[in-house]
C-alpha cells in the first residue's frame, strides 16, 4: 500500500505541472521553452501594405528581451508612427517585450507634393498666383479686391482670399476656387507651370465645384499649359486634384 502511494504522488505532481500554462504579468498566455523561460510573440505589419516594410515582421522572444523593429518606407511614402501595443514615432522602435505584441507601422503618402505657378492676364496686366500641396500648407493673403474695371484674380476659401494657397500633401483630394475680373477686355488668359517634385494623379481646371462634373470648361493641367476664359460666360473656376 505504501509503495502505491509513493508512486502516485510523483505522478500527481507531474500532471499538475504539465497542466499549468505560463502567463505574463498581465495574465496573457505565453509559451514555455522547456527550461522555465517564458516567451512572447511579435507581429508587425505596414499600413498601407504597399507603403513599406517592417523588419522583423514576426518573431518569438524571451520575456524582457530587448527587441528592435524597423520600418522602411518605399518611394513616395514617409514613415509616420507606430500604433498597437507600442505607440511611438521612434524608428527603429526599441522596447523590452513583456507580452504578446502586435505593431502597425503607419506611412503617409507623399506623392502629392507639387507647386503650380499660375498667371492670369488680360490685355494689359497680369497677376501671379501659386497653389499646390506640401507639408507646410503655406499661404499668402490677398489684399482687398480692387474696384470694378481693374484686373483681379485670387483664391477664395472660408471667407478668406489668397494669392498663394497650399494644402496638405496628405490629402488624396484637394480643390481650389479662383475668382477673377478683367480690367481690359472680356477674355482672360491663364497660363501655368507645374513644379513636379513628386506628383501622381490628375489636376483638372473646371467651371464646376464638382470634380466629377463640368459645364463648359474642363482642362487637364498636366497636359495643357494655357486656356482662355470669357469672363462674361464664366465667373469663377475650380482646380481639382485627385490622387489616382
Amino acid at each position: 500500500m505504501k509503495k502505491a502511494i509513493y508512486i502516485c504522488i510523483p505522478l500527481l505532481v507531474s500532471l499538475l505541472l504539465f497542466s499549468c500554462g505560463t502567463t505574463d504579468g498581465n495574465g496573457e498566455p505565453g509559451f514555455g521553452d522547456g527550461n522555465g523561460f517564458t516567451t512572447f510573440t511579435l507581429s508587425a505589419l505596414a499600413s498601407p501594405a504597399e507603403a513599406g516594410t517592417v523588419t522583423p515582421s514576426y518573431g518569438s522572444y524571451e520575456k524582457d528581451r530587448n527587441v528592435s523593429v524597423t520600418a522602411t518606407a518605399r518611394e513616395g511614402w514617409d514613415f509616420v508612427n507606430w500604433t498597437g501595443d507600442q505607440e511611438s514615432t521612434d524608428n527603429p522602435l526599441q522596447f523590452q517585450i513583456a507580452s504578446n505584441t502586435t505593431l502597425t507601422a503607419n506611412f503617409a503618402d507623399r506623392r502629392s507634393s507639387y507647386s503650380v505657378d499660375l498667371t492670369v492676364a488680360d490685355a494689359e496686366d497680369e497677376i501671379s498666383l501659386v497653389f499646390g500641396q506640401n507639408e507646410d500648407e503655406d499661404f499668402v493673403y490677398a489684399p482687398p479686391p480692387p474696384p470694378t474695371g481693374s484686373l483681379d484674380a485670387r483664391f477664395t476659401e472660408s471667407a478668406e482670399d489668397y494669392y498663394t494657397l497650399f494644402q496638405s500633401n496628405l490629402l488624396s483630394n484637394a480643390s481650389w476656387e479662383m475668382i477673377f475680373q478683367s480690367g481690359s477686355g472680356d477674355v482672360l488668359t491663364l497660363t501655368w507651370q507645374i513644379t513636379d517634385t513628386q506628383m501622381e494623379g490628375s489636376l483638372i481646371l473646371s467651371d464646376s465645384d464638382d470634380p466629377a462634373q463640368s459645364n463648359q470648361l474642363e482642362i487637364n493641367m498636366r497636359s495643357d499649359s494655357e486656356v482662355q476664359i470669357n469672363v462674361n460666360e464664366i465667373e469663377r473656376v475650380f482646380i481639382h486634384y485627385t490622387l489616382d
Side-chain angles (χ1 to χ4, degrees):
M1 185 66 177
K2 289 183 180 180
K3 184 177 181 180
I5 293 175
Y6 293 152
I7 294 174
C8 290
I9 290 176
L11 286 175
L12 179 60
V13 172
S14 298
L15 288 173
L16 287 173
L17 291 174
F18 181 79
S19 63
C20 293
T22 60
T23 61
D24 67 5
N26 298 320
E28 294 186 12
F31 299 93
D33 64 358
N35 295 315
F37 296 103
T38 300
T39 60
F40 297 106
T41 59
L42 168 71
S43 179
L45 53 84
S47 179
E50 68 272 17
T53 59
V54 181
T55 306
S57 60
Y58 184 83
S60 179
Y61 303 90
E62 294 178 4
K63 181 180 180 181
D64 296 329
R65 178 177 172 181
N66 291 326
V67 178
S68 180
V69 189
T70 302
T72 304
R74 292 194 172 98
E75 183 177 359
W77 300 84
D78 281 348
F79 170 77
V80 177
N81 62 357
W82 298 96
T83 55
D85 293 324
Q86 296 279 338
E87 296 189 359
S88 176
T89 58
D90 293 342
N91 190 32
L93 174 65
Q94 298 178 339
F95 63 96
Q96 285 186 322
I97 193 164
S99 63
N100 294 328
T101 302
T102 299
L103 298 174
T104 299
N106 299 292
F107 297 88
D109 190 343
R110 301 296 187 186
R111 290 176 292 174
S112 54
S113 180
Y114 58 93
S115 176
V116 183
D117 297 320
L118 174 64
T119 300
V120 182
D122 62 10
E124 296 182 356
D125 298 308
E126 66 180 35
I127 292 178
S128 296
L129 304 176
V130 182
F131 72 94
Q133 291 176 266
N134 66 17
E135 187 174 359
D136 298 327
E137 299 183 61
D138 297 331
F139 62 88
V140 174
Y141 286 113
T148 302
S150 301
L151 175 64
D152 184 38
R154 60 190 59 218
F155 298 113
T156 183
E157 180 181 275
S158 302
E160 298 284 359
D161 293 339
Y162 306 91
Y163 280 160
T164 298
L165 183 58
F166 279 84
Q167 300 191 33
S168 169
N169 63 342
L170 299 184
L171 297 174
S172 58
N173 295 277
S175 294
W176 295 263
E177 179 181 357
M178 188 179 76
I179 58 176
F180 45 75
Q181 67 180 25
S182 176
S184 177
D186 297 330
V187 175
L188 291 179
T189 300
L190 278 60
T191 57
W192 56 87
Q193 181 177 359
I194 301 175
T195 302
D196 187 355
T197 57
Q198 194 166 266
M199 182 182 186
E200 294 185 13
S202 61
L203 190 66
I204 303 298
L205 178 70
S206 172
D207 57 351
S208 172
D209 61 353
D210 184 353
Q213 179 181 349
S214 63
N215 298 317
Q216 305 175 55
L217 182 67
E218 185 173 352
I219 303 294
N220 183 344
M221 299 184 73
R222 298 196 66 184
S223 58
D224 297 321
S225 59
E226 180 177 322
V227 67
Q228 291 188 326
I229 296 175
N230 189 318
V231 296
N232 296 319
E233 298 175 355
I234 299 175
E235 297 181 349
R236 62 189 63 210
V237 295
F238 299 85
I239 300 169
H240 303 293
Y241 172 80
T242 302
L243 178 63
D244 297 333

